[in-house]
């Protein structure tokens, strides 16, 4: 971890603020909105400023260097377009943070399901408690685990 220290007074605040992020990439660019617009600006910049001059050089002077530069420009433009379109396409459904994948129901110990049921009074609070213990667990999977455990416990557990 890299501490950020602005002054002696703010040293603790800067280090504590950095600890909130999972990686340096998230510290550098914490907002998905900023990332989305940055990718769009890079794409526009590649198309407007580099595109016409690169194509013009290949047409007027078709040397190997100009063709190689065109290939590099095409690769960068297509890659930038792909990532910009993906960022805009997925803007309303947030993706899990890196390192936080989905948790398979088979990875959840039965003891955790039992403790979630025992610590709450109803089905919905038990599902909520289980999902708090395992953040990558989906709602349907948590509901199925809780319902299966309640079925095993019989009528007294319901």
């Amino acid at each position: 971890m890299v501490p950020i220290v602005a002054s002696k007074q703010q040293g603790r605040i800067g280090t504590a603020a950095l600890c909130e992020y999972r990686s340096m990439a998230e510290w550098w660019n914490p907002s998905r909105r900023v990332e989305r617009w940055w990718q769009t600006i890079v794409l526009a910049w590649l198309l407007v400023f580099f595109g016409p001059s690169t194509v013009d050089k290949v047409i007027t002077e078709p040397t190997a260097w100009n063709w190689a530069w065109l290939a590099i420009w095409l690769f960068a433009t297509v890659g930038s377009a792909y990532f910009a379109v993906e960022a805009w396409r997925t803007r309303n459904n947030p993706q899990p943070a890196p390192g936080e994948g989905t948790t398979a129901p088979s990875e959840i110990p039965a003891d955790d399901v039992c403790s979630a049921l025992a610590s709450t009074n109803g089905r919905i609070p038990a599902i909520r408690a289980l999902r708090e213990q395992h953040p990558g667990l989906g709602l349907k999977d948590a509901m199925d685990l809780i319902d299966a455990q309640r079925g095993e416990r019989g009528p007294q557990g319901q």
Side-chain angles (χ1 to χ4, degrees), residues 38-117:
W38 176 248
Q39 290 170 344
T40 305
I41 290 169
V42 167
L43 176 63
W45 186 62
L46 281 169
L47 289 172
V48 172
F49 292 111
F50 283 114
S53 64
T54 303
V55 172
D56 184 51
K57 284 181 184 178
V58 169
I59 291 172
T60 59
E61 189 180 334
T63 63
W65 174 252
N66 287 341
W67 279 102
W69 185 248
L70 178 70
I72 292 169
W73 174 79
L74 278 173
F75 182 76
T77 304
V78 168
S80 180
Y82 172 77
F83 287 116
V85 167
E86 280 297 307
W88 281 101
R89 192 175 64 84
T90 61
R91 71 182 178 273
N92 292 328
N93 50 348
Q95 303 297 317
E100 276 189 20
T102 57
T103 304
S106 60
E107 296 175 4
I108 307 297
D111 294 339
D112 288 351
V113 179
C114 290
S115 67
L117 270 170

Side-chain angles (χ1 to χ4, degrees), residues 5 15 19 31 44 78 107 113:
V5 180
T15 306
C19 293
S31 171
V78 168
E107 296 175 4
V113 179

